[in-house]
Amino acid sequence: MWEKIKDFASTFFVTGDPLIYGADVAIVLTTFAIIFVLTYYKKWGWLWREWLTTVDHKKIGIMYLIASLLMLFRGGVDALLMRLQLALPEMHFLHSEHYNAIFTTHGTIMILFMAMPMMFALFNIVVPLQIGARDVAYPFLNALSFWLFFFGALLFNISFVIGGSPDSGWLAYPPLSELSHSPGVGQNFYIWGIQISGIGSLATGINFLVTILKMRAPGMKLMDMPMFTWSVLATCILIIFAFPILTVTLGLLFVDRFFGGHFFTMDGGGNPMMYVNLIWMWGHPEVYIVILPAFGIFSEIVSTFSRKKIFGYKSMVFAMMIISVLAFFTWVHHFFTMGAGADVNAFFAVTTMAIAIPTGVKVFNWLFTMFRGRIQLKQPMLWTLAFIPCFAVGGATGVMLAVAPADYQYHNSYFLIAHFHQVLIGGVVFGYLAGIYYWWPKMFGFKLDERLGKWGFWLWNIGFYVCFMPQYALGFMGMTRRVYTYGWDLGWAPLNFTSTVGAFLMGAGFVFQIWQIAYSIKHGERDRTGDPWNGRTLEWSIPSPAPHYNFAVIPQVKGPDAWWEMKKEMQQDGTKKKPVQLKPIHMPKNSGIPFIMSVFWFIAGFGFTFSWVWMAVFGLIGVGICLLARSFQYDTDYYIPVKEIERTEKALGRAV
Amino acid sequence: MEHAASHHKHHHDDHHDQESLKTLGFWIFLVTDCILFGTLFATYVVLRTNTAGGPVGKEIFDVAGFVAETFILLTSSFTSGLAVLAMHKGKIKELITWLIVTALLGLAFIGLEINEFYHMVMEGATISTSAFLSAFFTLVGTHGLHVSFGLIWMIAIMIQLGRHGINPVTSRKVYNICLYWHFLDVVWIFLFTVVYLMGVM
């Protein structure tokens, strides 16, 4: 019996690596600490009522934000471990299998469990406030999306202490990811972690599309919408068309591994190249899914901190719409070397270069917005200014990669690594960080400290160039991606060492940002006006943080930059806002079902991962029962009485 | 909830908006489901000739069986339409009767499909025989799972109709399940053409 348990434990838990044992101890201690704190301060009920069951988009946004920062930390540690291993030739810091697992989890976590939730955080916090709505179209579904993401991410992350991490690259190309080459459970964690959170992402896409189309304040036409809302609309369309492909692709890989199918195997007529096509049909739109909202954020910030309306509003909208269509016609550029033929490669080379045109239009529009504006160099604006040159260089190297014949040289080299990190860090990460600094007062009611923020900003920026510029050169020198070590004779040592220094500078930047948050909670400048940046859009017309129901009275919109126009009107009239008749506000009730259903999804995913069919079936039945329970629920909403609204508004310093 | 009562009319309007919002969302969900099936069809078309020495479509497809499945499913789509018509006339009994007929036809369809799969597996044509059969079972099976899911959902709605009668919430639900049902019918027509007819040609 004892022997059996020991046997099971030695395969169930990841063993034999001091780094992992350290992580085990840290996880157990943190878990106990959390349980202790919650119990000691009697916070379990509070946690359940205020957070786990909430359907409030603002709270869901904050939970997304916290989760994404944790994932940024995890993915960042992965990156630093890789850079340590590569700092010098013939290092013995990580062995090859461990290195494989780390570059896999780094990529998957950064895209799917860091960038996506950080994006959804901003969707949730900003969009309903920008369009003058009291919540999203489907608040219950919104909560479900978050918890599916959360438990999907959890399932993926526990793989490094239980069962073993996936190690066949962030997109898990077969046949490497097939049972024949990856017999362990790591790949199953990959499939189910992404599958579960992917359902949530798809639901969010539907949710925000309907929210933007149907829940705008009266008078706000599509062409009056703030630019960030437009970018979310474009992103939602991409999500709706791209994510089902991911669901199917991972589903087919699962059929291969679980039922012995032959979709992508080397025998039985399978075709691994089919997988590569399918995964990039999702994967390429996916990079536009994460970059478009960043474009939206920059548009808001440039306009606010230049005291001008955005230059070329219509061309901005058209550019985003064109990008969202073209995004579906470029996927083959990820594998020009597969041998699809000159005509196919030529088509995809041209579409790829074409997508640089609308992107260029946007860059010029941002520059022209700043031209003769009264620019204020606040933190959000700093990140925006850093983004423009960084993204321009990243875009230019992208066009170099798009030249199909030349790509045979660059393919899978460090040149490619440098390129996509430049657009993803310089574009997506800088964009989301800018957005977080910009909307932070709206989320929490205080600004983040400028001095510490500047330290973080410069460390990130200098670190970025020190880390990735050498990698372009390393690519030309012949260094390919995913090598875990290299020889002294190759002459790659100095550039690799420089690159590692840069990575640690970025890590230091992140530490400064966490310090900045901790410092600002106590000392940050409080925002009592609700409009700390002299903003232009509706989210700045209400107190910070926004009350539960957002708008006591739904605003009437007359054109773009609605709040800016209202402020001008109020100045001209010389009067305060006229008193208005309050009405009871219709709100959705909290629900525990999204959380419980996601727990059952987690159980099902865990069961499938270990091929424990009983557990998987139990989980799926639980999911079904939750769905039925929700279907039979009719009492799902309530009204906030006028008195309570009056009380809340007065407490927030608003005369009603 | 006394406030809810005093604003009953208001409440009613809010509900109407919400129900139409949910139907719009359901249409968009169907778009995503369309792409899901589109991807499966594309995979099937790419892999359909990769039989790896296993049986080809002609050898395993039973013409009488899939024609029967087709007629049953098409009829059920028609009866679900009759259910919605009955709902618009406010006739609850007729509505539930037509839903029961639809569900029974759906059940018959699933029964035939399970029988078809069972015979194939008995003849040694399984999901792990060849890429063609993996694609076949996955594509047709995904459609079958959709129909089965729809059946459970339809039964749940019938119970709710019995409890609450026809109101904005239940009629939205009936409308959406019937949309879903018609959608599965359309998918089946493509399955019938691309998989079965082209398979036995």
Side-chain angles (χ1 to χ4, degrees):
Chain A
M1 184 66 193
W2 176 241
E3 280 302 309
K4 254 190 179 168
I5 294 174
K6 243 170 75 180
D7 256 16
F8 171 76
S10 68
T11 50
F12 188 71
F13 295 106
V14 178
T15 51
D17 192 314
L19 280 173
I20 302 279
Y21 289 135
D24 285 337
V25 174
I27 290 170
V28 171
L29 286 179
T30 315
T31 311
F32 275 120
I34 292 171
I35 292 173
F36 176 77
V37 168
L38 285 172
T39 313
Y40 188 80
Y41 292 102
K42 298 195 175 69
K43 288 287 184 188
W44 286 103
W46 167 82
L47 183 71
W48 177 256
R49 280 189 308 274
E50 297 290 319
W51 296 97
L52 302 188
T53 60
T54 187
V55 293
D56 181 350
H57 66 95
K58 300 176 290 294
K59 284 184 178 169
I60 290 172
I62 288 170
M63 291 194 287
Y64 267 123
L65 181 64
I66 294 169
S68 67
L69 288 175
L70 284 172
M71 288 293 100
L72 179 58
F73 173 74
R74 158 87 211 262
V77 171
D78 281 348
L80 293 182
L81 291 176
M82 279 191 284
R83 279 321 313 172
L84 267 183
Q85 167 65 21
L86 293 177
L88 291 170
E90 283 156 31
M91 284 277 274
H92 293 290
F93 177 61
L94 301 172
H95 56 83
S96 57
E97 284 88 9
H98 200 171
Y99 188 84
N100 290 348
I102 286 180
F103 73 63
T104 302
T105 54
H106 168 75
T108 311
I109 284 175
M110 283 302 199
I111 295 286
L112 287 156
F113 301 124
M114 186 281 283
M116 292 293 282
M118 207 178 264
M119 172 179 97
F120 290 147
L122 293 168
F123 277 28
N124 269 287
I125 289 156
V126 181
V127 170
L129 301 185
Q130 269 197 335
I131 61 172
R134 286 188 172 130
D135 210 319
V136 294
Y138 319 114
F140 175 90
L141 187 68
N142 197 26
L144 181 61
S145 289
F146 170 75
W147 289 112
L148 285 174
F149 148 72
F150 181 87
F151 282 102
L154 192 65
L155 186 64
F156 186 86
N157 274 279
I158 58 168
S159 68
F160 93 108
V161 288
I162 291 176
S165 293
D167 54 3
S168 47
W170 84 278
L171 282 184
Y173 280 10
L176 199 56
S177 56
E178 287 284 358
L179 213 51
S180 53
H181 295 69
S182 296
V185 295
Q187 206 52 51
N188 301 339
F189 273 120
Y190 174 94
I191 291 172
W192 284 98
I194 297 178
Q195 199 70 295
I196 291 169
S197 70
I199 302 168
S201 304
L202 187 57
T204 305
I206 298 176
N207 208 339
F208 278 84
L209 181 67
V210 176
T211 304
I212 294 171
L213 290 179
K214 287 287 171 187
M215 307 212 11
R216 299 192 305 279
M220 185 185 277
K221 297 195 222 55
L222 279 176
M223 284 311 231
D224 296 336
M225 291 198 307
M227 204 48 75
F228 179 69
T229 302
W230 260 113
S231 73
V232 175
L233 182 76
T235 302
C236 287
I237 294 171
L238 282 170
I239 290 176
I240 286 165
F241 284 94
F243 266 76
I245 307 178
L246 175 69
T247 307
V248 172
T249 311
L250 293 175
L252 300 183
L253 187 61
F254 169 71
V255 169
D256 273 7
R257 292 178 60 89
F258 193 80
F259 296 108
H262 287 291
F263 285 105
F264 314 123
T265 53
M266 298 298 280
D267 57 346
N271 187 349
M273 291 194 284
M274 187 67 197
Y275 180 94
V276 179
N277 271 289
L278 286 175
I279 199 82
W280 280 115
M281 277 166 141
W282 159 78
H284 195 79
E286 166 67 14
V287 302
Y288 289 96
I289 287 170
V290 291
I291 194 69
L292 282 175
F295 289 170
I297 293 165
F298 292 130
S299 305
E300 299 289 339
I301 290 171
V302 161
S303 166
T304 301
F305 293 97
S306 306
R307 298 275 166 276
K308 279 173 71 184
K309 67 177 188 194
I310 193 83
F311 183 90
Y313 181 97
K314 274 187 188 168
S315 66
M316 282 296 215
V317 173
F318 286 130
M320 281 195 287
M321 286 301 152
I322 291 167
I323 291 173
S324 62
V325 173
L326 279 181
F328 282 97
F329 296 95
T330 64
W331 80 90
V332 173
H333 71 216
H334 296 272
F335 44 92
F336 279 141
T337 52
M338 184 186 273
D343 41 357
V344 173
N345 279 0
F347 173 83
F348 284 96
V350 171
T351 52
T352 305
M353 291 180 215
I355 218 164
I357 298 169
T359 316
V361 167
K362 298 186 75 71
V363 172
F364 281 112
N365 279 341
W366 290 315
L367 293 177
F368 283 125
T369 307
M370 282 186 268
F371 181 64
R372 290 193 176 161
R374 262 175 286 160
I375 295 173
Q376 288 176 301
L377 281 183
K378 301 283 186 193
Q379 290 180 84
M381 193 60 178
L382 273 182
W383 288 93
T384 306
L385 289 177
F387 148 80
I388 292 175
C390 194
F391 198 78
V393 174
T397 54
V399 175
M400 285 170 75
L401 283 158
V403 181
D407 183 64
Y408 276 69
Q409 279 300 313
Y410 312 133
H411 186 76
N412 273 358
S413 73
Y414 260 77
F415 186 84
L416 166 79
I417 305 295
H419 157 71
F420 74 69
H421 280 95
Q422 184 148 24
V423 282
L424 284 173
I425 295 180
V428 177
V429 177
F430 283 17
Y432 293 175
L433 287 176
I436 290 169
Y437 283 114
Y438 183 56
W439 281 299
W440 188 276
K442 192 45 66 186
M443 289 183 238
F444 298 105
F446 60 90
K447 283 187 187 176
L448 286 171
D449 185 68
E450 285 275 337
R451 193 173 47 88
L452 286 169
K454 276 185 182 152
W455 275 97
F457 170 79
W458 285 110
L459 282 167
W460 262 99
N461 268 275
I462 296 167
F464 171 81
Y465 288 99
V466 174
C467 182
F468 290 104
M469 292 306 117
Q471 294 187 9
Y472 280 118
L474 283 167
F476 285 138
M477 290 158 77
M479 184 164 166
T480 52
R481 74 192 297 193
R482 293 173 179 169
V483 291
Y484 84 105
T485 192
Y486 52 92
W488 282 101
D489 54 330
L490 291 162
W492 299 344
L495 285 173
N496 267 307
F497 189 81
T498 315
S499 180
T500 301
V501 170
F504 275 86
L505 286 177
M506 282 193 277
F510 181 70
V511 172
F512 265 96
Q513 288 177 308
I514 298 301
W515 181 11
Q516 178 192 22
I517 292 173
Y519 178 85
S520 309
I521 289 173
K522 233 179 163 176
H523 307 286
E525 187 192 330
R526 304 292 124 166
D527 168 31
R528 300 192 198 290
T529 60
D531 187 11
W533 312 114
N534 196 5
R536 313 175 71 85
T537 42
L538 285 176
E539 72 268 34
W540 306 112
S541 70
I542 51 175
S544 305
H548 176 46
Y549 45 78
N550 298 350
F551 296 88
V553 179
I554 297 289
Q556 279 284 336
V557 178
K558 291 179 194 133
D561 288 348
W563 174 233
W564 188 259
E565 297 304 320
M566 284 179 198
K567 280 193 281 191
K568 270 206 311 209
E569 233 170 65
M570 279 191 282
Q571 263 177 352
Q572 279 166 359
D573 296 355
T575 50
K576 278 189 173 177
K577 268 197 257 175
K578 287 168 211 146
V580 273
Q581 188 65 42
L582 288 177
K583 284 185 196 146
I585 295 174
H586 184 222
M587 295 298 283
K589 275 188 183 168
N590 283 359
S591 171
I593 293 177
F595 180 82
I596 296 166
M597 198 201 290
S598 305
V599 170
F600 278 119
W601 267 113
F602 179 85
I603 294 170
F606 197 84
F608 278 124
T609 298
F610 283 90
S611 301
W612 296 340
V613 176
W614 59 270
M615 192 174 178
V617 169
F618 171 78
L620 290 179
I621 290 174
V623 171
I625 289 172
C626 287
L627 283 171
L628 283 174
R630 176 63 182 178
S631 180
F632 280 88
Q633 234 174 28
Y634 275 67
D635 178 24
T636 55
D637 36 19
Y638 71 105
Y639 277 84
I640 305 177
V642 172
K643 280 216 175 94
E644 196 185 318
I645 305 168
E646 274 173 357
R647 211 165 44 234
T648 314
E649 290 290 304
K650 273 202 186 110
L652 291 165
R654 299 273 163 144
V656 191
Chain B
M1 283 278 84
E2 69 269 37
H3 296 286
S6 64
H7 299 284
H8 194 76
K9 194 184 168 301
H10 196 82
H11 202 141
H12 211 70
D13 291 346
D14 286 342
H15 257 306
H16 260 302
D17 288 352
Q18 287 213 322
E19 301 317 317
S20 72
L21 215 57
K22 283 181 179 164
T23 301
L24 174 64
F26 195 75
W27 274 104
I28 300 172
F29 160 74
L30 288 182
V31 171
T32 66
D33 223 19
C34 234
I35 293 158
L36 183 135
F37 276 109
T39 316
L40 285 171
F41 269 104
T43 312
Y44 177 81
V45 170
V46 168
L47 298 176
R48 61 187 282 261
T49 52
N50 297 12
T51 50
V56 296
K58 225 183 230 171
E59 295 161 21
I60 47 171
F61 294 155
D62 168 30
V63 178
F66 72 72
V67 170
E69 283 174 56
T70 307
F71 276 103
I72 289 171
L73 202 65
L74 291 188
T75 313
S76 80
S77 203
F78 179 64
T79 56
S80 78
L82 292 179
V84 174
L85 282 181
M87 182 179 77
H88 286 320
K89 286 187 211 141
K91 292 180 181 164
I92 179 107
K93 271 195 185 153
E94 206 181 317
L95 162 60
I96 293 180
T97 312
W98 282 122
L99 284 181
I100 291 172
V101 174
T102 309
L104 286 176
L105 287 167
L107 200 64
F109 170 84
I110 291 293
L112 280 177
E113 190 165 298
I114 290 173
N115 182 49
E116 182 197 357
F117 279 16
Y118 176 77
H119 277 285
M120 284 187 189
V121 171
M122 282 299 115
E123 285 165 28
T126 70
I127 197 166
S128 55
T129 306
S130 66
F132 155 63
L133 282 171
S134 300
F136 167 80
F137 279 111
T138 307
L139 173 57
V140 180
T142 304
H143 177 266
L145 278 178
H146 272 74
V147 175
S148 312
F149 180 82
L151 276 177
I152 298 172
W153 183 19
M154 201 179 275
I155 293 165
I157 291 173
M158 283 190 252
I159 297 170
Q160 290 172 35
L161 278 170
R163 277 191 197 171
H164 303 277
I166 300 173
N167 63 30
V169 179
T170 51
S171 47
R172 182 258 304 167
K173 289 187 178 190
V174 172
Y175 185 79
N176 285 358
I177 180 81
C178 290
L179 263 184
Y180 181 75
W181 208 256
H182 292 313
F183 167 74
L184 291 180
D185 210 35
V186 173
V187 173
W188 180 261
I189 290 170
F190 281 93
L191 275 171
F192 175 71
T193 317
V194 175
V195 177
Y196 290 104
L197 284 185
M198 285 166 73
V200 295
M201 234 159 43

